[in-house]
């Protein structure tokens, strides 16, 4: 071990600062493209684009549409965050009261659970710091989502305008904008967490166990916001999308983003509040939870016993190195090997994943070799301590990193229309929507196989080498290239929005989260089992088996709630769009503007109302089960939800993605096969639109939200573990 405390104190915040500065630089470069101002050519005449539309009118129209999307997005998030502020206030009280009650609301210091000869902070103090961490996590997650939405709405029209100069220009703007979100989220999350640890340490001193238990509240706060952001944003965007598609495309036979469609602005707003803000909060939650899980497990290892600050900050060092690796990787796409044509976009995005993974592998080796003791032990409740070497940890982190890459490529294979599976789904549309649905479901089920094997191998290898600490850092490895992953993920919705603006402005246009959730939730499960003092989870025992089977049911219950919520909201949207086409004179002729604001209001009201029941299901279940049935039943519940939730989430997301891209495959007509199924408005295309409509809530609401369900229940159980261990199981007491 070579690295010292000073290195950690400098390297972690410096890496975060570099990430923030890089994000702001990318934002500055995006701002060079002006919206709403006409550009004059060298000869003094107004520029005219290839469609004969003057530059001033295009700029003005783009600015108008961008302003409407930005206004709608901001209004929705402001309202949702108001609701969330009330919820966070109430839940903060619950955290404080439950945890403070463990020690009888005493201000006196108490014997430590891990060593009765030592004195640890009072129950009041522990409860207070856990609550503060929860609030900080919630605020950071909120900020992550909001900043993502701001850059997305800032960049969409700029991407549209740059597309007139060529694909390369448009790609650079969209990808730089995605990088802004990726680096701000990764850097802010890391910086706030590190500073929180340093501040908490002023009180906790050498009590690393108590400190890191309090820090778990940070992950809980982040995931709580992510849950409502994903569910609320998902319901919003899919209600608008379904309404726009069913009435606009199928009934009125007009393009997807036609300005005559009343739901079109709401649809574009949804891309930002669901696919950008919700996704940002989701991945921030994954980062916070995986880090907290690794920190908790490390605190009860020889790291904690030896007061080894550098070794216990290993998860933070991995995330810090990830920011620098992602920075270098981003420069490859934007400056070194920039995109010149449409065919180069997909290889460039793939190259980003591969380069970041290879560079991160080298960084992991260096940090493991120089930042960890040559040999150390990991304590395992009820079993002999695990002796671990530093190179074991390299393989643990690396297994998560490379499993993530495999899952990414498999997901692309099953959801991209460049490959056979989606083309087969598109071909099935020849015989109608029913066969399209059948082929899509089969694809989704089949797509689960390889990711699950990749996750299983990573889990087995990591646990064999370093017990639950190995799984925790494997999850961190999968998220170590978070900034690059987010840049790629955000690129899609930004480009999609840009295409919609182009169509509405009258211009021509050309055309790994689930895997990390599995590892994160398992790492949190391990931390919970350790904290609750459970030596083993025996599924043959009645308490555990009851929890197991109920936990496996929860993702189905949750999915049913979110799917029905989208259906109800979409029904109201369809009726409103139909009403406007029916009652507004001149709407189909394009001589009258539709009432966009009415559709935005329908999506907003529906999503805010419908996000509460699924959110309550996730947040209340661990509290009820842990309090009434005890820690063993809750352990079974978490295991069941993890196993079931991962499979449903992968299947739902990939099925929806395949249906979406099968529709786009037919619409693009880029091959002879695709042309034989089209054009837009053909029977095969209508069948594909119906499949896409069914898949929308699967891939953008239920599937992504299930990631948060399995993570959030696990981290919530970990935070409340002291209460459940001391006071849980009321119904089983005799």
């Amino acid at each position: 071990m070579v690295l010292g405390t000073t290195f950690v104190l400098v390297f972690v915040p410096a890496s975060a600062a570099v990430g923030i500065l890089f994000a702001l630089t990318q934002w500055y470069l995006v701002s060079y493209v002006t919206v709403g101002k006409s550009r004059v050519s060298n000869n003094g005449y107004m520029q005219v684009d290839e469609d004969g539309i003057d530059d001033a009118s295009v700029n003005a129209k783009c600015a108008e549409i961008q302003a409407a999307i930005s206004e709608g997005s901001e209004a929705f998030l402001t309202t949702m965050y108001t609701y969330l502020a009330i919820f966070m206030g109430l839940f903060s009280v619950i955290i404080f009261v439950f945890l403070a009650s463990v020690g009888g609301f005493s201000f006196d210091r108490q014997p430590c659970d891990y060593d009765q000869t030592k004195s640890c902070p009072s129950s009041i103090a522990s409860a207070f710091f856990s609550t503060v961490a929860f609030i900080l996590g919630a605020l950071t997650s909120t900020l992550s989502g909001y900043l993502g939405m701001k850059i997305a709405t800032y960049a969409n029209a700029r991407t549209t305008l740059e597309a007139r100069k060529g694909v390369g220009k448009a790609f650079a703007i969209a990808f730089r904008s995605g990088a802004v979100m990726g680096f701000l989220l990764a850097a802010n999350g890391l910086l706030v967490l590190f500073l929180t640890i340093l501040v908490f340490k002023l009180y906790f001193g050498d009590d690393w166990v108590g400190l890191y238990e309090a820090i778990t509240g940070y992950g809980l706060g982040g995931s709580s916001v992510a849950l409502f952001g994903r569910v609320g944003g998902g319901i919003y965007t899919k209600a608008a999308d379904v309404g726009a598609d069913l009435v606009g495309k199928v009934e009125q036979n007009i393009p997807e983003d036609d300005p005559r469609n009343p739901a079109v602005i709401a649809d574009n707003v949804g891309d930002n509040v669901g696919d950008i803000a919700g996704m940002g909060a989701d991945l921030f939650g994954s980062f916070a939870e995986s880090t907290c899980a690794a920190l908790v497990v490390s605190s009860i290892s020889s790291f904690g016993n030896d007061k080894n600050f550098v070794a216990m900050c290993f998860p933070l060092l991995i995330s810090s190195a990830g920011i620098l690796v992602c920075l270098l990787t981003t420069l490859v796409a934007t400056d070194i090997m920039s995109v010149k044509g449409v065919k180069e976009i997909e290889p460039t995005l793939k190259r980003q994943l591969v380069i970041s993974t290879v560079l991160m592998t080298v960084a992991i080796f260096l940090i493991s070799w120089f930042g960890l003791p040559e040999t150390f032990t990991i304590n395992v409740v009820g079993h002999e301590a695990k002796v671990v070497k530093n190179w074991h940890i390299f393989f643990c982190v690396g297994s998560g990193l490379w499993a993530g890459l495999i899952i990414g490529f498999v997901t692309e294979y099953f959801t991209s229309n460049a490959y056979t599976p989606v083309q087969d789904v598109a071909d099935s549309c020849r015989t109608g929507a029913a066969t399209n649905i059948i082929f899509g479901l089969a694809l989704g089920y089949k797509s689960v196989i390889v990711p699950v094997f990749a996750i299983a191998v990573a889990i087995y290898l990591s646990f064999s080498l370093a017990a639950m600490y190995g799984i925790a850092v494997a999850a961190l490895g999968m998220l170590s290239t978070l900034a690059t992953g987010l840049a790629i993920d955000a690129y899609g919705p930004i480009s999609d929005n840009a295409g919609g603006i182009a169509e509405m402005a009258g211009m021509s246009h050309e055309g790994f989260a689930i895997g990390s959730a599995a590892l994160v939730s398992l790492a949190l499960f391990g931390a919970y089992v350790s904290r609750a003092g459970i030596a083993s989870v025996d599924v043959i025992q009645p308490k555990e088996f009851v929890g197991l089977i109920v936990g496996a049911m929860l993702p189905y219950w949750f999915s049913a709630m979110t799917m029905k919520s989208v259906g109800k909201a979409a029904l109201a949207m369809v009726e409103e769009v139909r009403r406007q086409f029916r009652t507004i004179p001149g709407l189909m002729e394009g001589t009258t503007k539709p009432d966009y604001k009415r559709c935005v209001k329908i999506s907003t009201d529906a999503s805010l109302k419908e996000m509460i029941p699924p959110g309550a299901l996730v947040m209340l279940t661990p509290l009820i089960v842990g309090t009434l049935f005890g820690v063993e039943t809750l352990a079974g519940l978490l295991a069941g939800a993890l196993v079931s939730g991962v499979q449903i989430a992968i299947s739902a997301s990939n099925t929806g993605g395949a249906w979406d891209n099968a529709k786009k495959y037919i619409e693009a007509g880029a091959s002879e096969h695709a042309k034989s199924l089209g054009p837009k408005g053909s029977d095969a295309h209508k069948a594909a639109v119906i499949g896409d409509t069914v898949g929308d809530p699967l891939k953008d609401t239920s599937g992504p939200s299930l990631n948060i369900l399995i993570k959030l229940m696990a981290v919530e159980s970990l935070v409340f573990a002291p209460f459940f261990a001391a006071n849980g199981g009321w119904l089983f007491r005799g």
Side-chain angles (χ1 to χ4, degrees):
M1 181 172 175
V2 176
L3 303 180
T5 300
T6 303
F7 176 83
V8 176
L9 293 173
V10 173
F11 181 67
V12 174
S15 298
V18 168
I20 293 171
L21 289 174
F22 183 73
L24 296 177
T25 302
Q26 299 304 301
W27 197 321
Y28 177 73
L29 293 173
V30 171
S31 70
Y32 269 110
V33 181
T34 57
V35 177
K37 297 178 182 178
S38 60
R39 293 170 292 187
V40 179
S41 62
N42 293 333
N43 58 14
Y45 292 96
M46 198 68 67
Q47 290 184 4
V48 176
D49 77 358
E50 66 273 16
D51 296 320
I53 303 172
D54 68 271
D55 188 81
S57 66
V58 168
N59 266 273
K61 188 65 176 176
C62 284
E64 179 187 344
I65 297 167
Q66 182 191 47
I69 295 172
S70 180
E71 181 184 347
S73 301
E74 188 133 3
F76 170 76
L77 287 184
T78 300
T79 307
M80 185 179 75
Y81 290 154
T82 302
Y83 280 78
L84 280 178
I86 298 171
F87 164 77
M88 292 302 161
L90 294 174
F91 207 76
S92 296
V93 173
I94 292 174
I95 293 173
F96 181 81
V97 171
F98 273 53
L99 295 184
S101 69
V102 174
F105 298 95
S106 171
F107 286 93
D108 298 329
R109 294 181 67 85
Q110 54 192 352
C112 300
D113 291 340
Y114 59 91
D115 188 345
Q116 295 291 313
T117 63
K118 296 182 179 180
S119 173
C120 283
S122 66
S123 59
I124 289 285
S126 297
F128 171 76
F129 283 104
S130 294
T131 305
V132 170
F134 170 76
I135 294 171
L136 286 173
L139 291 175
T140 309
S141 184
T142 300
L143 180 65
S144 298
Y146 183 77
L147 288 175
M149 181 276 296
K150 289 298 288 185
I151 184 59
T153 55
Y154 184 80
N156 49 23
R158 287 170 168 79
T159 303
T160 303
L161 293 172
E162 285 296 277
R164 304 163 73 204
K165 301 177 183 178
V167 172
K169 296 284 187 181
F171 174 86
I173 292 295
F175 194 77
R176 287 186 192 279
S177 303
V180 172
M181 177 185 178
F183 282 92
L184 282 180
L185 185 149
N188 283 335
L190 175 64
L191 185 61
V192 173
L193 179 58
F194 185 64
L195 293 178
T196 302
I197 290 172
L198 294 183
V199 172
F200 281 20
K201 191 177 184 302
L202 296 176
Y203 178 82
F204 284 92
D206 289 335
D207 178 20
W208 289 102
V209 175
L211 192 161
Y212 283 152
E213 281 184 3
I215 286 293
T216 57
Y218 186 76
L220 177 58
S223 258
S224 299
V225 170
L227 172 69
F228 291 103
R230 266 299 195 187
V231 174
I235 294 171
Y236 185 110
T237 183
K238 292 307 108 183
D241 201 1
V242 170
D245 279 359
L246 284 182
V247 182
K249 283 184 167 183
V250 177
E251 296 181 10
Q252 301 296 334
N253 197 26
I254 59 177
E256 182 171 357
D257 292 299
D258 195 293
R260 294 171 292 176
N261 194 326
V264 75
I265 293 294
D267 188 11
N268 282 279
V269 169
D271 287 340
N272 295 289
V273 299
D275 295 340
I276 296 289
M279 175 186 63
D282 181 3
L283 287 176
F284 166 77
S286 291
F287 158 77
E289 289 159 337
S290 61
T291 307
C292 289
L295 292 174
V296 168
V297 177
S298 70
S299 69
I300 57 176
S301 68
S302 60
F303 297 160
N305 296 334
D306 299 339
K307 308 298 183 292
N308 190 329
F309 177 74
V310 177
M312 281 190 291
C313 286
F314 176 77
L316 303 177
L317 292 174
I318 291 294
S319 299
S320 302
I323 291 175
L324 301 181
V325 164
C326 291
L327 189 154
L328 295 175
T329 306
T330 301
L331 293 176
V332 173
T334 57
D335 298 279
I336 299 173
M337 300 174 68
S338 55
V339 169
K340 299 292 189 298
V342 174
K343 292 183 178 180
E344 295 179 23
I345 292 177
E346 186 177 338
T348 297
L349 296 179
K350 282 184 181 178
R351 192 162 53 237
Q352 287 286 287
L353 293 175
V354 174
I355 292 173
S356 62
T357 301
V358 171
L359 292 179
M360 195 63 213
T361 302
V362 177
I364 292 167
F365 175 79
L366 294 175
I367 295 173
S368 301
W369 189 261
F370 295 111
L372 293 173
E374 185 178 345
T375 302
F376 55 92
T377 58
I378 300 293
N379 295 328
V380 183
V381 177
H383 300 276
E384 187 177 342
K386 182 81 173 178
V387 179
V388 181
K389 297 184 182 297
N390 53 12
W391 59 267
H392 291 170
I393 299 301
F394 162 70
F395 282 106
C396 293
V397 183
S399 68
L401 176 66
W402 284 90
L405 183 67
I406 291 170
I407 292 171
F409 280 127
V410 170
T411 300
E412 183 200 13
Y413 175 73
F414 279 102
T415 58
S416 171
N417 54 33
Y419 302 104
T420 302
V422 171
Q423 292 174 11
D424 287 343
V425 172
D427 193 66
S428 71
C429 295
R430 293 177 186 274
T431 50
T435 46
N436 181 28
I437 300 296
I438 293 169
F439 270 68
L441 289 173
L443 178 149
Y445 297 151
K446 188 176 180 180
S447 71
V448 173
I449 299 171
V450 175
V452 166
F453 273 115
I455 294 169
V457 170
I459 290 172
Y460 182 81
L461 177 65
S462 301
F463 189 83
S464 299
L465 292 175
M468 277 300 174
Y469 185 71
I471 293 175
V473 294
L476 204 61
M478 195 174 285
L479 292 163
S480 59
T481 54
L482 179 64
T484 293
L486 264 172
I488 294 171
D489 285 346
Y491 165 80
I494 291 171
S495 300
D496 196 25
N497 246 205
I501 291 175
E503 192 162 293
M504 287 187 282
M507 297 166 60
S508 65
H509 61 286
E510 307 290 334
F512 53 173
I514 298 171
S516 68
L519 290 176
V520 168
S521 58
L522 183 56
L524 291 167
F525 175 78
Y528 161 74
V529 167
S530 299
R531 184 61 188 88
I534 302 173
S536 64
V537 179
D538 187 352
V539 296
I540 298 178
Q541 297 301 316
K543 290 182 183 179
E544 285 87 340
F545 187 79
V546 167
L548 187 73
I549 197 167
V550 172
M553 173 273 298
L554 284 175
Y556 290 95
W557 188 0
F558 180 83
S559 297
M561 296 173 77
T562 52
M563 291 285 286
K564 187 175 181 181
S565 294
V566 170
K568 288 167 65 177
L571 181 62
M573 184 67 71
V574 167
E575 291 175 348
E576 173 60 22
V577 174
R578 283 174 175 167
R579 183 195 67 78
Q580 291 197 32
F581 275 117
R582 187 174 61 249
T583 61
I584 299 179
L587 182 55
M588 272 301 293
E589 293 73 22
T591 58
T592 307
K593 276 189 177 183
D595 186 357
Y596 296 126
K597 290 187 177 180
R598 175 62 187 160
C599 291
V600 170
K601 186 176 188 306
I602 287 174
S603 268
T604 301
D605 293 345
S607 58
L608 293 173
K609 176 184 176 183
E610 295 293 335
M611 74 179 183
I612 295 173
L617 174 68
V618 177
M619 299 298 293
L620 295 179
T621 296
L623 291 177
I624 294 172
V625 173
T627 302
L628 297 183
F629 301 99
V631 292
E632 293 89 357
T633 304
L634 181 54
L637 181 110
L638 296 177
L642 166 60
V643 172
S644 169
V646 167
Q647 324 246 359
I648 299 172
I650 295 174
S651 175
S653 297
N654 289 348
T655 293
W659 278 327
D660 180 28
N661 284 316
K663 175 202 70 175
K664 291 176 179 175
Y665 176 76
I666 295 173
E667 289 177 347
S671 67
E672 290 302 318
H673 177 242
K675 290 176 183 176
S676 71
L677 299 171
K680 291 183 180 180
S682 67
D683 288 341
H685 178 248
K686 288 180 179 179
V689 170
I690 292 172
D692 177 39
T693 304
V694 175
D696 271 339
L698 286 174
K699 72 180 176 69
D700 289 327
T701 307
S702 296
S705 298
L706 283 172
N707 299 344
I708 306 172
L709 176 140
I710 59 178
K711 293 182 300 183
L712 180 53
M713 290 203 304
V715 73
E716 184 179 346
S717 300
L718 175 58
V719 169
F720 286 98
F723 174 81
F724 297 147
N727 304 307
W730 292 353
L731 294 183
F732 290 147
R733 290 177 182 174

